[in-house]
Amino acid sequence: MPVLVASLMVASASNFYNDFDITWGDGRAKILNSGELLTLGLDKASGSGFQSRNEYLFGKIDMQLKLVPGNSAGTVTAYYLSSKGSTWDEIDFEFLGNLSGDPYILHTNVFSQGKGNREQQFYLWFDPTADFHTYSILWNPQRIIFSVDGTPIREFKNLESIGVPFPKNEAMRIYSSLWNADDWATRGGLVKTDWSQAPFTAYYRNFNANACVWSNGVSSCGTNSSPSTSKTNSWLSEELDSTSQERLQWVSKNYMIYNYCTDAKRFPQGFPPECNLS
């Protein structure tokens, strides 16, 4: 019973005042509407960011974002899970700004034990600046699934059996930041930030974490990571059904613009082992 209660508590409606701390930006980040809306700001002097008060070890995390509109070239809005230390784990969404009218690039990556180099990039099938859309990370012991408005765009499976490190031992916080990366973000740094468009603003709402909170070495989901029989914790063993697999293939075919598993120049000694499993 305590497991179920803890999970329900974590999955309750969020309030940014309760769930997050603004960590930098000197007033450029704001919590508004009685805690229902959070905005990050960027100007020539500084960006801004926030982090979750809780640490999580597995979870299904949703956040609605509305990205910087207009000419957002040079800006990056990062939304990710990360642990600390030199062998950190990390699960990334990064939104690379672009010239007005050009599509944003959604950049994803997975780090385990301090190593990443697993980038996949996508265009989106909608304008992410016109309205809020839900960006989700499902992270359980078997897989990580990145989703947009419920459509899976990427799956990273636990393939430790063939020597691929998988993030499963370190609790992670949620972080987000809006910052200037015009040395690389837009067309490899060719397009610089137009500061006459500043301040730039990204918007956040409807955070939800159905997750195992990690506190003082104890998980709110119990002592092990085996799937719970509770329906509330069904995400702990969730996988893609046939319909979701079809959606994933649709995104991969039509919207993926970069995949590390097809970049032979980067891996002259051979692709990482997970790339050989189609």
Side-chain angles (χ1 to χ4, degrees):
M1 188 63 186
V3 173
L4 178 59
V5 172
S7 300
L8 288 172
M9 285 169 59
V10 178
S12 63
S14 73
N15 182 298
F16 281 110
Y17 283 119
N18 298 335
D19 295 322
F20 292 93
D21 290 314
I22 291 170
T23 47
W24 63 285
D26 197 23
R28 290 171 180 81
K30 297 179 175 66
I31 297 176
L32 306 167
N33 297 1
S34 303
E36 292 185 359
L37 180 71
L38 190 152
T39 63
L40 292 183
L42 165 67
D43 58 31
K44 198 166 188 177
S46 178
S48 53
F50 64 85
Q51 71 179 43
S52 64
R53 293 186 173 178
N54 284 328
E55 288 186 286
Y56 306 97
L57 188 56
F58 305 121
K60 193 171 187 177
I61 312 250
D62 304 320
M63 183 82 81
Q64 290 194 326
L65 280 75
K66 184 164 72 166
L67 300 177
V68 174
N71 180 1
S72 59
T75 71
V76 171
T77 307
Y79 163 59
Y80 59 102
L81 290 162
S82 183
S83 63
K84 293 293 191 186
S86 59
T87 56
W88 79 100
D89 293 341
E90 188 170 312
I91 304 170
D92 285 344
F93 276 116
E94 287 187 296
F95 303 90
L96 312 186
N98 223 324
L99 292 169
S100 185
D102 286 348
Y104 258 82
I105 291 174
L106 171 51
H107 174 101
T108 66
N109 204 352
V110 176
F111 288 77
S112 187
Q113 299 171 22
K115 292 185 171 61
N117 298 325
R118 297 189 177 98
E119 301 91 343
Q120 289 184 356
Q121 294 183 340
F122 306 84
Y123 288 144
L124 294 164
W125 49 95
F126 53 82
D127 178 357
T129 73
D131 205 349
F132 285 92
H133 292 269
T134 303
Y135 301 91
S136 305
I137 294 169
L138 169 69
W139 169 39
N140 66 29
Q142 299 86 34
R143 59 187 46 81
I144 295 163
I145 299 171
F146 297 79
S147 299
V148 178
D149 290 336
T151 294
I153 65 167
R154 177 176 186 179
E155 180 180 29
F156 185 82
K157 293 180 179 178
N158 183 339
L159 295 171
E160 289 177 308
S161 60
I162 60 168
V164 180
F166 185 84
K168 71 175 187 0
N169 297 317
E170 296 193 31
M172 299 199 257
R173 290 188 196 276
I174 301 162
Y175 296 88
S176 190
S177 56
L178 174 58
W179 48 290
N180 177 40
D182 70 2
D183 56 333
W184 64 270
T186 306
R187 292 183 57 204
L190 292 175
V191 184
K192 301 302 182 183
T193 304
D194 180 0
W195 293 112
S196 71
Q197 304 289 318
F200 302 99
T201 307
Y203 304 84
Y204 300 75
R205 73 180 188 192
N206 290 349
F207 164 71
N208 189 64
N210 196 347
C212 302
V213 173
W214 188 259
S215 180
N216 299 317
V218 178
S219 170
S220 65
C221 295
T223 55
N224 61 37
S225 58
S226 62
S228 165
T229 53
S230 157
K231 187 177 179 184
T232 310
N233 282 345
S234 61
W235 58 267
L236 260 172
S237 57
E238 188 174 326
E239 56 188 281
L240 295 174
D241 62 17
S242 57
T243 302
S244 296
Q245 291 278 9
E246 287 174 9
R247 295 293 288 172
L248 181 70
Q249 292 303 316
W250 173 78
V251 172
S252 180
K253 180 182 176 184
N254 294 290
Y255 295 99
M256 184 187 287
I257 58 169
Y258 178 82
N259 181 5
Y260 74 107
C261 278
T262 59
D263 190 347
K265 286 183 182 175
R266 263 181 88 180
F267 302 104
Q269 306 305 314
F271 288 110
E274 69 270 19
C275 296
N276 300 318
L277 301 174
S278 56

